Amino acid sequence: MRRLAGRHAVLRVFVVWVVTAVTLFVLSALIPEIDIPGWGSAFAIAALIGLLNAVMWPLFIRFALPVTVLTLGVAALLLNGVIVWIASSIIDGFGVGVIWGTVVALVLTVVNTLVTSLLGIDDHDFYYRNVIRRAATRQGATSSDVPGVVFLEIDGLAHEVVVRAMRDGNMPTVARWLREGSHHLIGWETDWSSQTGACQAGLLHGNSDDWPAFRWWEKEHKRPIVTNHPRDAAELERRHSNGRGLLHEDGASRANILSGDAEHSLLTMSTVLRRDRPGRIGQDYFAYFANPYNVTRTVVFALADIAQELYYAAQQRRRDIRPRIKRTLSYALVRSWATVIQRDLQVAAIIGDLYAGRPVAYTTFLAYDEVAHHSGIERPDALSTLRRIDRQFARIEHAAKEAPRPYHLVVLSDHGQSQGATFLDRYGTSLEDLVREACAAESIHVDGGGSNEAAGYLGASLTEAGSADNVVGRSIRAATKGKRVDGAVQLGKRSREETAMLREAAQEDQLPELSVMASGCLGLISFPREPGRLTLERIEHLYPKLVPALRDHPGIGFMLVRSERHGAVAVGAHGTHYLDEERVEGEDPLAPFGPNAARHVRRADGYEHVADIMVNSTYYADMDEVAAFEELVGSHGGMGGSQSFPFVVVPAGWRLPEQAIVGPDYMHRQMRRWLADLGHEGYRDGAA
């Protein structure tokens, strides 16, 4: 194996040298500003550039690393341009300036990536084997006969979508596992709150109680809670963790909302503000951005992803594909973080965990969820993103074969997505406007959401990298000082201003009269000035037009309220389901949402922080669509369609559940049982 790896390294060096020389010579023929006298000079320059990269880059990056991290690698292109310019000053006849040197470096990276990919020479695997393994070895790898487990979550991928993706060739790695018989595919069902926060609270901590949505208003704290804000995520983990989560035994959490009580974490919302974690905080970022070829390659792929996003958005407009939403350049820039840069960071971290022999790891691939929100759940660009995620699974599978212990790979999703034209697009009015008009209220807090998960993770990464107690960390903290809220980088001037306004209003006891918040097709209506949970009778007394306006609107499937006389009540346009009394008058408004709908709604009614009114959009069964209260094509957060039905792909031979898996808490117990069956004794308590 070592001899084969050595041959692989020699082959890679030779191919890169030849391709670099040929590319340089072609560039000199096409661009007057790049002057190379002949083939011999081209090969000499190619060798010199490689040598300078090896010798000078460590010196450059020592001083430029803060800028490289802050610019997400773009500064690395300029540094590569400087290296090309230095090479031009050493070899007679080779003339190029810094700007054109940057162009040369960029073109060389693109061409080398294309050629090595076509020849089956995977430079990422080369990097992982030769850099990440050495780093893991220095830290000390744990060898064991007890198999480790890596949980690979694809955020937002529904069971029915993954089946079609495997059938149609969009997930060849996972499809191969099933066809070879090494794995089984199982579907499961979420609770009413089909979004990452509640689902990961269940999956990683076994406790999704009192997590009603992605965002909600807490009256006792006089402010909203937002799942992917680091301070809120840390508080929510404190409420839901018992210290023995899924990753508590020397586990690793990579790119998740919650940590599962992991010892090692990266890009995990609940831990980015913690500076007392073991290890060198931010080291994963610095190691990643300190590699010249790796960074340049990632920047190239990020630029390609931006171009792809702009192309597919233009195609939707040209072909008048509906439903669709407006997709901006700023979204394309943030999307590239989720689909390329964060993905590469987390894969590097997971492979590092494999080489370190960690017993269990969990990572969330955000890219599909982010793209499907804006494009649609099975549109070409969403499926393209899915193919790239599947390619990472193959890379992780390959690395696992060289780890110091055997590993099992589990692929799962936390929830699905449902598609449809938004509430505003269908009816020309938003949920906020509907409520405002019915209540005749002026003071209203609104959080219509929209997918800000990628931006949230980008801010979290800058927060985490800036927590390092070194010159790099201090530089990042200084550069992001004006963008911090509660110590965390919060991108978007508007969101920071809204946070400041809410805090000022709370201090002056000037709370908004109404709060309307959205989580996909789930809407939460609260009355912050009224203590406790308002009953149906109290709401009808204060705002007599509100309940009829919501009940009779064609875009609202049902609303949950609590009656003084009847307890929990689900109200629809043509009937009422009295949940506590277990009876229905007229048509059951919960019937379109499946046989477990009443169970889910009844559970949510018992939450401490359930909204005064919980609203679920209509489910349009003929088109399998919902109407999101956020401006998203694909959405999740409530019930209706495939958003409530994720999946898990587990190794063959593992004990399958004896009954349907309903709820992430039950899935957590299954996961603990699987770990216990493999010999991880610390997980026998709480196993299903």
Side-chain angles (χ1 to χ4, degrees):
M1 181 67 73
R2 292 181 182 274
R3 187 178 303 170
L4 186 61
R7 292 175 182 173
H8 184 281
V10 172
L11 175 61
R12 176 193 176 276
V13 170
F14 178 77
V15 169
V16 170
W17 179 45
V18 172
V19 170
T20 300
V22 172
T23 304
L24 286 169
F25 193 78
V26 172
L27 285 174
S28 71
L30 296 176
I31 302 174
E33 287 80 2
I34 301 174
D35 184 20
I36 296 176
W39 281 105
S41 297
F43 277 96
I45 295 165
L48 182 59
I49 289 175
L51 181 63
L52 289 174
N53 260 316
V55 174
M56 299 190 66
W57 183 265
L59 299 176
F60 278 178
I61 206 65
R62 181 165 188 167
F63 301 101
L65 186 55
V67 180
T68 303
V69 175
L70 281 170
T71 60
L72 305 179
V74 173
L77 292 176
L78 294 176
L79 291 176
N80 276 330
V82 170
I83 287 176
V84 173
W85 171 73
I86 292 173
S88 74
S89 65
I90 295 175
I91 294 183
D92 292 337
F94 177 31
V96 65
V98 174
I99 300 301
W100 281 105
T102 303
V103 173
V104 169
L106 180 61
V107 173
L108 289 176
T109 301
V110 173
V111 173
N112 277 318
T113 299
L114 290 174
V115 171
T116 53
S117 296
L118 288 172
L119 294 177
I121 304 172
D122 195 324
D123 288 307
H124 263 43
D125 279 350
F126 179 86
Y127 171 73
Y128 291 145
R129 286 191 182 91
N130 293 277
V131 179
I132 299 178
R133 185 194 291 125
R134 285 201 299 269
T137 301
R138 285 196 300 269
Q139 296 173 8
T142 300
S143 179
S144 174
D145 293 330
V146 176
V149 179
V150 178
F151 294 96
L152 305 169
E153 178 190 305
I154 306 177
D155 190 5
L157 184 60
H159 177 266
E160 63 180 47
V161 176
V162 76
V163 170
R164 288 192 289 269
M166 290 190 292
R167 179 198 65 192
D168 297 338
N170 292 308
M171 294 188 69
T173 301
V174 181
R176 169 171 54 82
W177 296 348
L178 265 65
R179 291 191 179 105
E180 292 177 349
S182 66
H183 286 70
H184 294 301
L185 172 67
I186 308 169
W188 61 284
E189 183 178 348
T190 69
D191 289 317
W192 188 6
S193 185
S194 56
Q195 47 81 29
T196 302
C199 291
Q200 284 199 356
L203 293 170
L204 292 172
H205 292 280
N207 177 13
S208 60
D209 188 58
D210 197 26
W211 204 307
F214 192 81
R215 49 184 69 84
W216 64 91
W217 187 278
E218 293 199 343
K219 293 185 179 182
E220 72 272 29
H221 296 118
K222 300 181 180 181
R223 70 177 183 89
I225 288 283
V226 182
T227 292
N228 68 344
H229 288 184
R231 184 182 72 157
D232 291 346
E235 167 60 19
L236 291 168
E237 180 163 311
R238 184 195 65 78
R239 297 179 189 178
H240 290 80
S241 170
N242 63 2
R244 297 182 61 80
L246 189 71
L247 309 176
H248 78 277
E249 285 205 337
D250 196 37
S253 169
R254 311 300 186 185
N256 303 313
I257 294 290
L258 303 178
S259 74
D261 298 316
E263 182 81 3
H264 314 276
S265 65
L266 169 76
L267 266 172
T268 298
M269 286 294 178
S270 63
T271 65
V272 295
L273 291 173
R274 284 185 52 196
R275 301 187 67 179
D276 60 343
R277 286 178 284 154
R280 298 171 61 189
I281 296 176
Q283 186 60 32
D284 296 291
Y285 299 96
F286 307 148
Y288 177 81
F289 285 110
N291 181 276
Y293 179 78
N294 188 54
V295 170
T296 307
R297 188 178 193 270
T298 298
V299 170
V300 169
F301 280 127
L303 293 174
D305 186 79
I306 292 170
Q308 183 189 59
E309 157 59 21
L310 297 176
Y311 169 77
Y312 279 118
Q315 286 293 94
Q316 285 194 354
R317 294 192 299 270
R318 184 182 67 82
R319 297 166 56 193
D320 195 27
I321 293 175
R322 296 181 183 276
R324 71 171 187 269
I325 59 173
K326 184 178 180 181
R327 292 151 68 176
T328 63
L329 177 60
S330 61
Y331 160 68
L333 294 171
V334 172
R335 164 189 145 147
S336 67
W337 163 263
T339 57
V340 178
I341 302 174
Q342 176 173 307
R343 181 201 68 197
D344 285 355
L345 276 167
Q346 70 187 106
V347 171
I350 283 292
I351 292 181
D353 295 329
L354 291 172
Y355 289 152
R358 297 201 170 99
V360 60
Y362 193 109
T363 188
T364 301
F365 288 88
L366 174 66
Y368 168 80
D369 187 74
E370 181 69 21
V371 175
H373 275 314
H374 294 80
S375 304
I377 62 177
E378 291 184 270
R379 300 270 172 80
D381 40 345
L383 295 177
S384 173
T385 302
L386 200 53
R387 287 193 296 273
R388 294 200 293 269
I389 294 174
D390 182 86
R391 201 172 300 137
Q392 306 310 310
F393 295 167
R395 183 166 289 123
I396 293 169
E397 177 188 29
H398 194 68
K401 295 176 182 177
E402 301 180 3
R405 70 193 304 164
Y407 273 96
H408 292 296
L409 302 183
V410 176
V411 177
L412 74 160
S413 59
D414 51 347
H415 54 78
Q417 283 198 27
S418 297
Q419 193 166 291
T422 68
F423 190 85
L424 176 61
D425 193 32
R426 288 175 188 270
Y427 302 107
T429 187
S430 65
L431 179 63
E432 165 206 348
D433 292 335
L434 182 65
V435 174
R436 186 196 302 272
E437 183 178 350
C439 295
E442 293 297 329
S443 175
I444 180 169
H445 161 258
V446 177
D447 192 336
S451 179
N452 61 355
E453 291 179 79
Y457 273 106
L458 175 54
S461 70
L462 292 172
T463 302
E464 192 165 43
S467 296
D469 191 17
N470 54 33
V471 64
V472 180
R474 289 190 290 272
S475 300
I476 294 173
R477 289 198 296 274
T480 59
K481 184 177 180 180
K483 294 179 171 56
R484 288 180 176 261
V485 177
D486 297 322
V489 176
Q490 186 172 323
L491 302 178
K493 181 179 179 181
R494 181 180 175 184
S495 62
R496 293 194 299 273
E497 290 176 347
E498 287 178 350
T499 301
M501 289 174 58
L502 283 171
R503 287 189 173 176
E504 184 178 348
Q507 290 173 355
E508 297 177 1
D509 203 22
Q510 295 179 348
L511 296 173
E513 184 178 356
L514 294 173
S515 170
V516 180
M517 309 181 81
S519 288
C521 71
L522 180 66
L524 294 86
I525 303 167
S526 298
F527 304 89
R529 297 177 185 174
E530 297 288 330
R533 184 179 177 189
L534 263 66
T535 63
L536 171 61
E537 291 79 6
R538 176 66 173 164
I539 294 169
E540 289 176 327
H541 173 73
L542 292 173
Y543 306 101
K545 295 182 179 180
L546 179 58
V547 170
L550 296 172
R551 179 192 63 210
D552 299 333
H553 195 285
I556 293 178
F558 70 91
M559 60 178 169
L560 169 67
V561 289
R562 185 146 194 97
S563 167
E564 295 174 5
R565 290 173 291 177
H566 304 291
V569 179
V571 181
H574 304 292
T576 302
H577 191 133
Y578 296 90
L579 294 154
D580 290 350
E581 298 175 357
E582 297 185 350
R583 65 184 179 90
V584 176
E585 286 186 0
E587 297 179 14
D588 186 358
L590 300 180
F593 300 95
N596 292 316
R599 165 183 174 176
H600 297 323
V601 175
R602 188 181 295 109
R603 182 185 186 219
D605 178 75
Y607 291 167
E608 178 183 355
H609 293 107
V610 64
D612 294 321
I613 303 176
M614 300 280 285
V615 176
N616 202 103
S617 92
T618 298
Y619 173 56
Y620 309 89
D622 54 341
M623 290 288 289
D624 189 27
E625 290 186 341
V626 297
F629 300 119
E630 302 179 80
E631 288 306 293
L632 301 173
V633 176
S635 67
H636 56 89
M639 291 188 294
S642 56
Q643 63 183 310
S644 300
F645 299 98
F647 71 93
V648 59
V649 175
V650 298
W654 285 18
R655 282 193 291 168
L656 299 182
E658 298 175 356
Q659 62 188 53
I661 299 175
V662 179
D665 297 10
Y666 185 60
M667 175 58 81
H668 172 85
R669 294 194 292 275
Q670 289 292 333
M671 295 158 85
R672 294 183 78 93
R673 183 176 76 174
W674 289 328
L675 288 170
D677 287 348
L678 291 173
H680 297 273
E681 295 300 324
Y683 294 94
R684 292 205 179 277
D685 60 310

